Each structure stands twice: as C-alpha cells, then as structure tokens.
C-alpha cells in the first residue's frame, strides 16, 4: 500500500512554530506535486499549501499565507510545512496528498484516481 507519512505535529502555544514532514516513496516524491491539507474538528477538509515536483511552484490558502512555508528536500524524499505564528484556529489533523491544487501540477490537471495518495495525518494542537 502506498501512503504518505505525515509527522511532526504536537502541542504548541499560540504564536509558536512547528515543522511538519511528509515522507513519500521515491516514485511519488519525484513524480507528483504534493499538497498539505488539514481537517479541524467539525469542519471540512481544507488544502493549505502545495508544491510542484521541482519546487518551482507553490501556493497557499489565504488562511495561512505569510505564516506557513512549504518546501522539498530531494535527498530525503520529504516535503515540509514550516508553520510559524500559529493560531488557535490552526488546530487540526494535517495530511499530505498528491490530490492537490492544479496550480502546482504540471499540465494543470488533477492527478488520476490511480495516482491519488494519502496518509493518516499528524495532529497539531495550538493551545495556551
């Protein structure tokens, strides 16, 4: 089974920072754009950021723009999400997936169903 492994979540105070990691199999990391998503309790899933295969294209949701930064480490087959100035409303389970915004995808087309991969996510709790 192909899964993207999200990690790095934890408990932080408002204004604090965390860096999430998304470890992907090489064929996924090298072949697909990857996005970060989150689901807060009682809310719909929201995509917060994405990055293209080469890292040249990135995009952010308005809710996190200016606070979160997405990046890639080719040597580790890992996509990161640096989260700064965290707010209470950032509390959510964070996931990474290839089912991301077309703005980060070569050809600007969503990946086929067979190429959509997810993982179990990692919990970020922002609380004082």
């Amino acid at each position: 089974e192909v899964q993207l492994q999200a990690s790095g979540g934890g408990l932080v105070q408002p204004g604090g920072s965390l860096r999430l990691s998304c470890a992907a199999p090489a064929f996924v990391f090298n072949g697909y754009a990857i996005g970060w998503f989150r689901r807060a309790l009682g809310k719909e899933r929201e995509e917060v950021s994405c990055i293209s295969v080469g890292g040249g294209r990135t995009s952010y949701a308005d809710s996190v723009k200016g606070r979160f930064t997405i990046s890639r480490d080719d040597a580790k087959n890992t996509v990161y999400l640096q989260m700064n100035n965290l707010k209470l409303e950032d509390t959510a389970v964070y996931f990474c997936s290839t089912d991301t915004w077309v703005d980060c995808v070569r050809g600007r087309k969503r990946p086929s169903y067979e190429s959509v991969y997810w993982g179990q996510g990692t919990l970020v709790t922002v609380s004082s």
Side-chain angles (χ1 to χ4, degrees):
E1 180 181 1
V2 176
Q3 285 193 305
L4 276 59
Q5 184 66 48
S7 62
L11 175 64
V12 296
Q13 296 186 166
S17 298
L18 280 175
R19 189 178 73 164
L20 305 183
S21 299
C22 175
F27 83 92
V28 173
F29 184 84
N30 294 320
Y32 300 92
I34 294 176
W36 280 99
F37 302 74
R38 67 186 182 187
R39 186 192 66 80
L41 186 63
K43 299 182 66 176
E44 296 290 326
R45 187 178 65 204
E46 173 191 24
E47 184 164 1
V48 299
S49 185
C50 67
I51 189 167
S52 62
V53 172
R57 294 182 180 181
T58 59
S59 189
Y60 300 90
D62 289 341
S63 57
V64 307
K65 194 172 299 181
R67 300 187 297 118
F68 291 11
T69 303
I70 192 169
S71 62
R72 296 168 54 102
D73 186 335
D74 293 345
K76 297 182 178 181
N77 290 343
T78 300
V79 173
Y80 299 100
L81 185 68
Q82 178 67 47
M83 305 184 296
N84 298 326
N85 191 24
L86 285 161
K87 304 176 180 180
L88 295 178
E89 54 263 40
D90 293 320
T91 296
V93 177
Y94 285 73
F95 305 83
C96 50
S97 175
T98 57
D99 191 18
T100 190
W101 287 320
V102 296
D103 191 42
C104 289
V105 178
R106 181 182 180 184
R108 296 186 178 275
K109 293 184 177 181
R110 292 186 64 184
S112 63
Y113 175 82
E114 295 80 7
S115 299
V116 172
Y117 304 109
W118 291 86
Q120 62 266 46
T122 185
L123 177 62
V124 172
T125 302
V126 184
S127 176
S128 60

